[in-house]
Amino acid sequence: FCVMETSFTEENYIKAIFKLEELTREAVSTNEIASRLLMQPATVTDMIKRLSDKKIVTYKKYYGVQLTAKGKKIALDIIRKHRLWEVFLVKKLNFKWDQVHEIAEQLEHINSPELIEKLDDFLGNPKFDPHGDAIPDKEGKMRQVNSFPLSTITKKKSYVFCGVTNHETKFLQYLTTLNLSLGNIIEVEAINEYDSSLKIKINKKRHEFLSEQVASSILVYSVNDK
């Protein structure tokens, strides 16, 4: 889709608002945006006014900020570029999944629709990035997966590891030390009533223990759902 010209800083704000709206499903406050971007609230307010003038967001005092249809298109375009670059870095340049986020943060601001379409085709039109996040297509549509945090399960059965909600380097490196990667079958063998930690078996071979904090950042779907 066609996207209007936006600056590097504006794009970071747009993406941050989109991510916050995904979490809350409602208008977000300037304080929430400031916290996410580590900015002063006054600075955020100035940027929101600028984005509002461009019809990228709507802003009502005491109500909050929401992306317009135009703003959502821009956000999805940025996310599409970010996730395609992550696939490229992992699949073609052999980066590890814990190394690519910061690089993709820089590459996502390249404004060349032709380049991104060629990149998408070159990669075979992937539907998901290396962390299991859905990649928007050029219309902004994403494939939906009925996933949920491993920490919320109540039955001792098998699940497919399909994504993470924590993209921090140390967390991804920790999963790597467990030899836990997307597509693995996780069989929950025991749920500790005291601290909700899990005893799991990975691919019917190795046993591991996961804390509730780790399990809450691992997304899975039931083997029976696919």
Side-chain angles (χ1 to χ4, degrees):
F1 43 81
C2 182
V3 175
M4 65 186 292
E5 286 286 336
T6 46
S7 71
F8 181 99
T9 304
E10 287 172 339
E11 289 183 354
N12 284 336
Y13 273 85
I14 293 165
K15 189 169 73 165
I17 295 166
F18 182 88
K19 295 282 190 181
L20 288 167
E21 281 193 276
E22 268 193 322
L23 293 173
T24 63
R25 301 294 177 186
E26 57 188 26
V28 298
S29 71
T30 52
N31 284 337
E32 287 175 311
I33 299 167
S35 177
R36 188 176 185 94
L37 293 174
L38 303 178
M39 305 290 285
Q40 293 297 320
T43 304
V44 172
T45 301
D46 288 343
M47 175 58 77
I48 294 306
K49 288 177 180 176
R50 188 194 308 178
L51 294 175
S52 180
D53 289 341
K54 290 188 171 187
K55 312 296 185 187
I56 291 171
V57 302
T58 58
Y59 172 60
K60 295 178 182 177
K61 200 169 184 179
Y62 308 120
Y63 176 71
V65 181
Q66 284 186 302
L67 291 173
T68 62
K70 182 188 293 184
K72 287 177 183 175
K73 282 185 177 182
I74 295 170
L76 286 164
D77 184 59
I78 298 164
I79 290 166
R80 170 173 165 78
K81 290 187 286 185
H82 182 103
R83 294 176 180 173
L84 283 172
W85 283 120
E86 287 195 334
V87 174
F88 175 76
L89 291 166
V90 170
K91 298 292 186 183
K92 302 301 180 180
L93 298 186
N94 298 317
F95 279 87
K96 295 178 181 177
W97 71 335
D98 59 84
Q99 298 176 311
V100 296
H101 181 72
E102 294 300 324
I103 304 171
E105 287 275 291
Q106 301 171 56
L107 292 170
E108 71 187 24
H109 298 288
I110 296 173
N111 185 21
S112 173
E114 183 181 6
L115 171 63
I116 298 307
E117 291 316 304
K118 287 184 179 294
L119 177 65
D120 190 22
D121 289 341
F122 175 68
L123 295 171
N125 310 112
K127 303 302 182 188
F128 299 95
D129 75 6
H131 308 109
D133 295 318
I135 300 172
D137 65 17
K138 58 185 177 182
E139 266 75 51
K141 297 176 183 176
M142 288 188 279
R143 180 176 293 183
Q144 299 299 317
V145 176
N146 185 28
S147 63
F148 45 87
L150 185 61
S151 59
T152 63
I153 65 99
T154 56
K155 296 180 180 178
K156 295 185 284 184
K157 60 179 185 178
S158 296
Y159 303 87
V160 179
F161 177 27
C162 64
V164 294
T165 58
N166 183 347
H167 291 198
E168 292 180 8
T169 299
K170 288 184 179 179
F171 176 72
L172 296 175
Q173 288 174 341
Y174 174 68
L175 296 187
T176 300
T177 65
L178 299 179
N179 288 321
L180 190 57
S181 56
L182 299 186
N184 284 173
I185 302 298
I186 298 176
E187 185 178 348
V188 177
E189 297 189 317
I191 305 170
N192 190 307
E193 290 185 9
Y194 173 66
D195 61 2
S196 299
S197 60
L198 304 177
K199 180 184 179 184
I200 66 169
K201 184 186 285 187
I202 303 171
N203 290 337
K204 299 184 178 181
K205 295 177 182 177
R206 298 176 290 107
H207 290 93
E208 297 287 352
F209 288 91
L210 299 180
S211 69
E212 191 275 337
Q213 181 182 4
V214 170
S216 68
S217 296
I218 292 175
L219 295 176
V220 297
Y221 61 78
S222 174
V223 168
N224 298 328
D225 288 347
K226 288 286 180 175

